[in-house]
Amino acid sequence: MGALHEGHGALIRCAQKENDICIVSIFVNPAQFGPKEDFKRYPRTLEKDKGFLKRMKVDVLFLPSAKEMYPQGFESTVETGQLGRVLCGRSRPGHFNAVATVVIKLLNIVEPRTMVLGQKDAQQVIILKRIVADFDFKTRIRICPTERNTLGLALSSRNRYLNGRERLEALVLYRSLKEASARIKGKERSAQKITDGIRALIQRHTHGTIDYIACVDAATLQPLTMIKGRVMLALAVRFGKARLIDNMIVNAA
Amino acid sequence: MGALHEGHGALIRCAQKENDICIVSIFVNPAQFGPKEDFKRYPRTLEKDKGFLKRMKVDVLFLPSAKEMYPQGFESTVETGQLGRVLCGRSRPGHFNAVATVVIKLLNIVEPRTMVLGQKDAQQVIILKRIVADFDFKTRIRICPTERNTLGLALSSRNRYLNGRERLEALVLYRSLKEASARIKGKERSAQKITDGIRALIQRHTHGTIDYIACVDAATLQPLTMIKGRVMLALAVRFGKARLIDNMIVNAA
């Protein structure tokens, strides 16, 4: 969606390292924003993005218009099922259907051998893996770790909505995930205690409004009672205009 | 879906004439049958079909199992929008979503340059054109005219459900479409009068139960009041266990 930052930079380097040609799409997809969401004010920094991509020696920039992507008469969408209705899908109804729809279009237009995605959008990653498998796309999915600033804040185009205080407070998100991860490694097995711990930290140290804090199965995104296997800790918290998400995968042996 | 007949034969000849390699898929797709529909008793004549395809020198038969097509965890579907909710979609809710879903899978697995479809399933043709356009598939769609027996009955695997009397009565479907077409060419412009005429003929000469008789815009499938432009006359009538469909495109200058 553009407003490129070093998180995108890491995806590009990953793509370039493993492939001959690297194609970047920039498309602020209107369909995936809810009526009250930030489509209009979503940061658009196209000239800066172009310079960034040129310096990174990206081979192709695919920059379609909304009219090209959704011409008159367009009416098909993808229904992502249960995976799209939990976590971010609860507060963003239809969001993942629209993401899946535009990604199918991008896959068919670009025909990439590999699609590189960031782990920051963990639910999106799982849903797009599902879509690629369910619809038999031959594209491989490559996932890159979340890029963070030196203090641990996950890089996001929406971070530029944060004022100075919010930017400091938002550091608690990663801290709370790390602390929860340490407790799981220390044999805590109650999902409730883990999410309570994250909640307490965020409420104590920030003015943010918690959207969700979840401890789910990392494959199915279904909520856990007892922590077991590959677990995803995930959260979404609003700081003013910015709705920030972060997540961490923990292996509870 | 197999139970091959000369309608399929015509599609195969069309594919062979215009392409180097002809691939036929046979898959009785459970997802596109409603709970009260004929999935279990849908005719399956695989050995006969194989002989038919061999004699026609088809290059490849793609014959997947339901488990291969829908492995555990499968949960994505396509939503076809308004086009899938009218005509046959009204009495077969979800049918066209399931057709679109399986066709996307088939397109991605087979990667055909051209997909050959029969005009007999007119609504399916329009919906699959929409899907291919909306999701930017590069496959071309080639439509072949409806094959009929010498008396005019549209060939269909479901014709074998008909007993002798029903088979004779079903001839009225095509006759009623031809008569309606002639009236349109004779400048009748009331869609109501046209569908009333078709209905009267079918009711007078058959014991069939009418599902729908429609006079719609041939591109949008929206019902017409005044007949204008490219019009589709379409009908579905039940004869015993067989739900038969037929259609005719008429150009009303």
Side-chain angles (χ1 to χ4, degrees), chain B residues 176-190 194 215 227-231 233 248-253:
Chain B
S176 71
L177 292 174
K178 277 198 300 187
E179 191 169 302
S181 168
R183 286 180 71 191
I184 293 173
K185 295 212 173 347
K187 304 298 178 205
E188 176 58 64
R189 287 297 175 266
S190 158
I194 289 297
C215 178
I227 289 172
K228 203 185 152 188
R230 248 181 113 246
V231 168
L233 305 171
M248 195 173 281
I249 307 279
V250 188
N251 276 299

Side-chain angles (χ1 to χ4, degrees), chain B residues 119-133:
Chain B
Q119 177 60 24
K120 209 269 264 151
D121 300 311
Q123 186 173 8
Q124 174 171 279
V125 164
I126 287 173
I127 287 171
L128 292 179
K129 278 183 171 178
R130 186 79 257 159
I131 291 291
V132 162

Side-chain angles (χ1 to χ4, degrees), chain A residues 72-83 101 104-105 108-109 111 130-131 134-138, chain B residues 73-83 101 104-105 108-109 111 130-131 134-138:
Chain A
Q72 203 174 1
F74 183 96
E75 72 170 285
S76 311
T77 52
V78 173
E79 166 61 47
T80 54
Q82 186 54 22
L83 287 174
T101 301
I104 288 185
K105 289 173 67 69
N108 278 337
I109 294 166
E111 297 186 282
R130 187 78 258 159
I131 291 291
D134 284 355
F135 289 119
D136 302 284
F137 282 92
K138 286 168 181 129
Chain B
F74 183 96
E75 73 169 285
S76 312
T77 52
V78 172
E79 167 60 47
T80 54
Q82 187 55 22
L83 287 174
T101 301
I104 289 186
K105 289 174 66 69
N108 277 337
I109 294 166
E111 296 187 283
R130 186 79 257 159
I131 291 291
D134 284 356
F135 289 120
D136 301 284
F137 282 92
K138 284 168 182 128

